[in-house]
Amino acid sequence: MSEAKDIREQIRVNVLDVRRRIRDAAMRAGRREDDVILLAASKNRTVGEIIAAAEAGVAAFGENRVQEMLSKMPQAAGLDWQFIGHLQRNKARQVVGRVSLIHSVDSVRLASEISGRACAAGSRQRVLFQVSLAGEESKAGFLPGELEGALEEAAGLEGLVVVGLSTIAPLADEPEEVRWVFRELRELAVGLGGGSGPLSLSMGMTNDFEVAVEEGSTIVRIGTALFGPRLE
Ligand SMILES: *Cc1c(COP(=O)(O)O)cnc(C)c1O
């Protein structure tokens, strides 16, 4: 087998394995596998790797950097692209309307910028508000106490549709150590949803996605477990 074929085959096996683990975690929590979207975190991955994952049945891809995403998009058309990295306001214009979901709105000013760009294009942009639960200075996101006020301000933004929340758990030796982070995000979402139906919850990565699914994740963002270790 050629090396490219080896890599494609490995990704196919990985996708099946991750899907099985999502299904098992969902079942443990009495949830349905179909209620969890597998999003491939494809930063630093080649278009060939992305296409291999798409051929193995992954529909959604999340990128962290605007330029990298824009350069890959035309080479892998027809995929569901989402933006999962920190978004600077001056780059919002390049992302709005090109992705189905922005996972990382971390300020009202960014929300306002996104809304303005979407309105100008006659559209609305679906977004998630990112929440910083573990209190790490380095992780962007609203503090839980800021969230309600921020959502109220954003409610007046015509070009924005806030469909849920996202978070990045701190690195832990054991995924159980961060279960509380996922539980707290879900409780925040339930508290804010006011019974108006389930909200999207983007939470869980390679190290902790099974615990996140058990706690109600609806989108897991997975890189390493699909593509192998990253060279950064
Ligand atoms: C890279 C990344 C992921 C995936 O990380 P893995 O540990 O490789 O699964 C998920 N979410 C965000 C925001 C990322 O930047």
Side-chain angles (χ1 to χ4, degrees):
M1 265 204 286
S2 71
E3 197 184 341
K5 207 166 167 190
D6 274 351
I7 291 170
R8 281 209 306 277
E9 176 58 16
Q10 188 58 56
I11 290 173
R12 197 183 67 80
V13 169
N14 291 347
V15 169
L16 291 175
D17 184 54
V18 167
R19 282 213 190 279
R20 177 185 54 72
R21 290 167 62 190
I22 290 171
R23 182 174 64 238
D24 290 351
M27 281 175 62
R28 284 196 295 279
R31 305 183 61 212
R32 288 163 11 130
E33 177 187 11
D34 292 354
D35 293 339
V36 184
I37 293 166
L38 169 56
L39 175 142
S42 49
K43 59 171 176 275
N44 296 348
R45 308 301 178 172
T46 65
V47 170
E49 290 173 289
I50 290 170
I51 290 172
E55 284 172 355
V58 177
F61 292 82
E63 287 282 338
N64 292 63
R65 282 179 283 269
V66 176
Q67 289 316 324
E68 182 178 342
M69 180 176 77
L70 294 179
S71 76
K72 286 172 177 174
M73 277 177 145
Q75 305 176 64
L79 303 181
D80 174 0
W81 291 97
Q82 307 190 9
F83 195 78
I84 63 176
H86 176 67
L87 183 57
Q88 290 170 282
R89 271 189 305 142
N90 63 6
K91 299 210 171 139
R93 179 177 55 83
Q94 296 169 276
V95 173
V96 169
R98 290 205 170 95
V99 297
S100 67
L101 186 64
I102 298 171
H103 290 234
S104 46
V105 172
D106 58 3
S107 72
V108 173
R109 290 174 80 199
L110 175 61
S112 174
E113 177 70 25
I114 291 170
S115 174
R117 295 291 174 185
C119 282
S123 66
R124 302 180 82 198
Q125 177 67 55
R126 294 169 70 251
V127 304
L128 303 173
F129 271 29
Q130 184 173 342
V131 185
S132 172
L133 284 159
E136 287 166 296
E137 303 267 324
S138 60
K139 287 276 183 302
F142 295 98
L143 296 173
E146 300 171 339
L147 191 59
E148 191 169 0
L151 286 167
E152 272 165 20
E153 282 188 65
L157 298 171
E158 300 231 335
L160 205 71
V161 189
V162 184
V163 298
L165 305 177
S166 73
T167 198
I168 301 174
L171 259 185
D173 293 332
E174 291 296 326
E176 284 299 335
E177 291 171 30
V178 292
R179 183 181 289 277
W180 68 271
V181 172
F182 304 133
R183 187 168 296 173
E184 213 158 288
L185 193 74
R186 186 194 56 204
E187 282 169 4
L188 269 175
V190 168
L192 296 164
S196 62
L199 292 168
S200 292
L201 290 177
S202 167
M203 55 188 199
M205 308 176 18
T206 291
N207 285 330
D208 53 25
F209 71 91
E210 287 153 300
V211 170
V213 167
E214 287 172 15
E215 294 298 332
S217 173
T218 68
I219 310 176
V220 290
R221 310 176 306 261
I222 304 200
T224 310
L226 295 177
F227 298 113
R230 205 163 34 237
L231 307 170
E232 290 189 277

